[in-house]
Amino acid sequence: MVVAALITLLGVVAFGDDGDAGGPADRPATSSTTTSSVPTTSTAPPTTVPKVEVPDLAGLELAAAKGALADRGLKATVRYRATDRSPAGTVISQSRTSGAGVPRGSRITLVVAKAPPPPTTAPPTTTPPPPTTAPERDCDPSYPDVCLDPDAADYDCAGGSGNGPEYVDGPVRVRPPDPFDLDREGDGWGCESG
C-alpha cells in the first residue's frame, strides 16, 4: 500500500497537474502579458466665454451707471451730448441694449446729457458791431492744444480704428474728464500713435 501511494505520487510529479508528460521545459513558452489599447481622449477646454448681462442704465446719473457696470466687471466709455430733454449728467442711451450678454471686461459706451449752450441774442441793429478780431472758438477744455467741438457726436484718433464722425491728429494733451475718451491709458496724452 505504501508502494502504491509512492508510485501515485511519483506519477503526479512526472506528468504534472494537467496530465501532460514532461515538465515546464517541454511546454511552449507563453506570454502572460496582455496588451490592451485604451483609446486616449483629450478633453479640449470649453470655448465659450462666460458672459454678463448688461444693465439698463438709461436715466441713471453717470456715477451710478459706472458703478453698475463695474459691479458686473464691465467698463464705461463716456460721450456727451447737449440736450434739454434729459437732466445734465444722466445717461441718455447706451451702446449695448439692456439684457444683452457680453464678455466680462467689455466696454459699454454711455451717452450722457449735458446742458445745451445758452441761446445767443443778436445785438440791436443800431449798435455798431464790435471790431473784428479772430472769432472766439468754442473748444472743449479737456484738450488744451487743439480745438475740439464739445457739441460733436464723437472724435476718434486719425488713422485709428474709431468710426468718427470727427477725427483728430495726435498726440494731443488730455485733461479730465476726457469726454471723447482719447486718453485710454490715462497718461495725459491721447492719439500718441496717430
Side-chain angles (χ1 to χ4, degrees):
M1 185 141 185
V2 172
V3 173
L6 272 173
I7 291 173
T8 305
L9 180 63
L10 287 174
V12 169
V13 170
F15 290 103
D17 290 339
D18 54 2
D20 290 340
D26 296 333
R27 293 187 193 137
T30 58
S31 171
S32 62
T33 306
T34 54
T35 59
S36 64
S37 62
V38 177
T40 59
T41 58
S42 63
T43 306
T47 56
T48 58
V49 176
K51 296 191 175 186
V52 294
E53 187 176 308
V54 177
D56 184 9
L57 304 169
L60 293 180
E61 299 232 354
L62 178 58
K66 282 183 171 181
L69 289 175
D71 289 345
R72 288 172 170 80
L74 302 174
K75 299 175 183 174
T77 298
V78 180
R79 304 277 187 252
Y80 290 90
R81 181 170 297 147
T83 181
D84 57 1
R85 294 183 181 181
S86 299
T90 59
V91 176
I92 303 170
S93 63
Q94 59 197 68
S95 61
R96 298 300 301 260
T97 57
S98 62
V102 297
R104 189 175 296 275
S106 297
R107 282 193 168 271
I108 307 298
T109 301
L110 304 176
V111 179
V112 177
K114 71 174 183 177
T120 56
T121 56
T125 54
T126 57
T127 306
T132 57
T133 57
E136 193 171 313
R137 300 186 311 171
D138 184 17
C139 304
D140 195 302
S142 289
Y143 313 98
D145 300 329
V146 293
C147 184
L148 301 185
D149 181 3
D151 296 325
D154 190 16
Y155 276 89
D156 286 310
C157 298
S161 61
N163 59 356
E166 303 292 333
Y167 296 92
V168 60
D169 290 315
V172 293
R173 201 162 29 130
V174 179
R175 294 180 182 155
D178 188 16
F180 298 118
D181 197 30
L182 297 179
D183 180 17
R184 298 204 176 194
E185 295 82 13
D187 62 356
W189 290 92
C191 302
E192 291 98 329
S193 60

